[in-house]
Amino acid sequence: MLSRTAENLFWLARYMERAETMARLLEVGYRMGLMPSEGTGYRNEWASLVSAAGSARGFGAKFGEEFHQRDVETWLFFDRENPSSVISCIETARQNGRAVRTALTTEMWDALNGAYLDLREIERRPRSEALLPELCEWTKRQGALFRGATEGTHLQNDGYDFLNLGWYLERGDNTARLLDVKYYVLLPTTDMVGGSIDTYQWTTLLRALSAYRAFHWAYGGEYSPRKIAHFLILNPSCPRSLLHCLDMAGYHLDRLAKAYGSRTTAHDRAEAALGELTAAKVEDVIGEGLHEFLTRFVNQNAALGQDVADGYLFGIQ
């Protein structure tokens, strides 16, 4: 496979997953905003979303230091000046898909192009008609349609592996960022992170990650912060946990190593990170500090993504 094709497939998946995550972040903010503030947070929920998304500097340059709901909605969903907004991600994903149209099945292209066309129609509607919950559900549905089309129709070759690498690396990063919203909403102290954290906010996080029912199946009805943190970080059965995402990224890296007959530094980094997470306990995470642990994971995940690019996207002929 040409390196350009591999790169386009990798980033196509990443941008579709990122669009879905921006919608999930907005859903978290919307649900948390419905609850009255108890004065425990040092930033409001809308500021926390922009910070967790890693785009506070860009937002501040355009909207100033005040974080109003409508401005954050615009920034994370409609604003093309934000490269991680939903509209920017879906348009960029479509550009990547169009560049490698022959590497996609008809069903995959229809799902991708259909999302793009629907988004143009949504953009034409008055903002008063574009209700945030509906926009979030629409975005998550488009991501599910594209993933479903890929799983059901794409040949499971190296292109399939590059798509899945993009999905799982991005998903791990995004789960960490969504979890980190808790740090930004509540006081960033170890006893607050591991102690009396508002149950509603934690269950809101589960719902935004489409993991509420799955958590109940795995842990029953006790929605404690430690159990939820364990589920989203260390439970290999949770499809959005950090451990599961790393495990699946390693799986597709191993398939690529067999296909190309060589290993890269990405394999070593993935194995080291997976080994650390597999051996970790939730007490270790809480003891380090949730924010500190998640920040370290995001940095490691970014380095792994760069290793994938250096070893495969730029290294294959």
Side-chain angles (χ1 to χ4, degrees):
M1 174 176 286
L2 294 173
S3 60
R4 183 180 296 274
T5 301
E7 183 179 9
N8 280 318
L9 291 174
F10 177 78
W11 283 106
L12 162 57
R14 290 203 72 155
Y15 276 111
M16 286 300 290
E17 187 71 22
R18 192 173 300 178
E20 190 174 336
T21 297
M22 292 303 108
R24 294 181 186 277
L25 275 170
L26 284 167
E27 184 178 355
V28 167
Y30 176 79
R31 289 181 180 271
M32 288 184 178
L34 295 177
M35 294 294 291
S37 173
E38 297 180 358
T40 56
Y42 75 108
R43 298 181 184 179
N44 67 42
E45 59 275 0
W46 298 107
S48 76
L49 304 188
V50 177
S51 298
S55 58
R57 181 177 299 179
F59 179 91
K62 183 165 186 176
F63 294 100
E65 297 181 0
E66 295 292 327
F67 291 86
H68 301 293
Q69 177 177 346
R70 186 176 178 84
D71 291 340
V72 175
E73 287 179 17
T74 299
W75 179 249
L76 293 183
F77 197 99
F78 291 103
D79 202 321
R80 288 183 173 83
E81 292 182 30
N82 176 12
S84 293
S85 68
V86 171
I87 196 167
S88 293
C89 286
I90 291 179
E91 288 181 348
T92 305
R94 182 180 180 272
Q95 291 170 7
N96 279 276
R98 189 176 182 181
V100 289
R101 176 65 184 84
T102 55
L104 306 179
T105 65
T106 300
E107 290 79 5
M108 292 170 68
W109 174 250
D110 286 346
L112 182 61
N113 195 49
Y116 169 77
L117 295 176
D118 284 352
L119 190 57
R120 294 185 66 183
E121 184 61 32
I122 289 172
E123 199 176 12
R124 295 190 190 101
R125 290 163 51 188
R127 284 292 303 276
S128 59
E129 296 179 9
L131 299 178
L132 184 58
E134 294 178 5
L135 293 175
C136 294
E137 286 301 317
W138 174 86
T139 307
K140 291 188 291 183
R141 187 164 59 250
Q142 302 314 306
L145 285 171
F146 183 73
R147 283 195 305 274
T150 302
E151 288 296 325
T153 65
H154 198 283
L155 187 66
Q156 295 196 6
N157 56 5
D158 51 354
Y160 175 81
D161 291 318
F162 286 119
L163 282 163
N164 275 277
L165 268 175
W167 267 316
Y168 284 111
L169 288 177
E170 188 69 28
R171 185 178 297 177
D173 179 88
N174 293 334
T175 296
R177 291 182 184 278
L178 279 159
L179 269 169
D180 209 26
V181 170
K182 291 300 300 173
Y183 167 81
Y184 284 108
V185 171
L186 298 177
L187 289 172
T189 60
T190 302
D191 59 337
M192 178 65 76
V193 170
S196 57
I197 301 177
D198 181 60
T199 302
Y200 176 83
Q201 291 182 336
W202 281 102
T203 54
T204 291
L205 190 64
L206 286 175
R207 291 183 187 279
L209 285 164
S210 303
Y212 185 81
R213 182 63 59 86
F215 176 87
H216 183 77
W217 289 338
Y219 297 87
E222 183 185 349
Y223 295 95
S224 69
R226 286 176 180 268
K227 288 186 176 181
I228 294 173
H230 182 273
F231 185 60
L232 295 177
I233 296 172
L234 301 174
N235 191 320
S237 299
C238 172
R240 292 188 176 274
S241 74
L242 305 189
L243 179 58
H244 180 81
C245 291
L246 265 180
D247 187 33
M248 293 306 297
Y251 169 75
H252 288 284
L253 280 171
D254 288 342
R255 280 173 48 95
L256 287 172
K258 293 178 181 178
Y260 291 101
S262 64
R263 289 169 56 90
T264 72
T265 56
H267 293 85
D268 298 331
R269 190 183 296 275
E271 287 180 359
L274 181 60
E276 179 184 348
L277 271 185
T278 302
K281 297 180 180 179
V282 70
E283 289 77 14
D284 301 328
V285 175
I286 300 300
E288 180 178 347
L290 183 61
H291 173 66
E292 289 74 16
F293 173 86
L294 294 172
T295 299
R296 184 162 60 85
F297 176 88
V298 167
N299 292 335
Q300 289 177 339
N301 200 61
L304 177 56
Q306 187 59 54
D307 285 345
V308 170
D310 293 340
Y312 284 113
L313 306 185
F314 304 143
I316 60 178
Q317 299 300 317

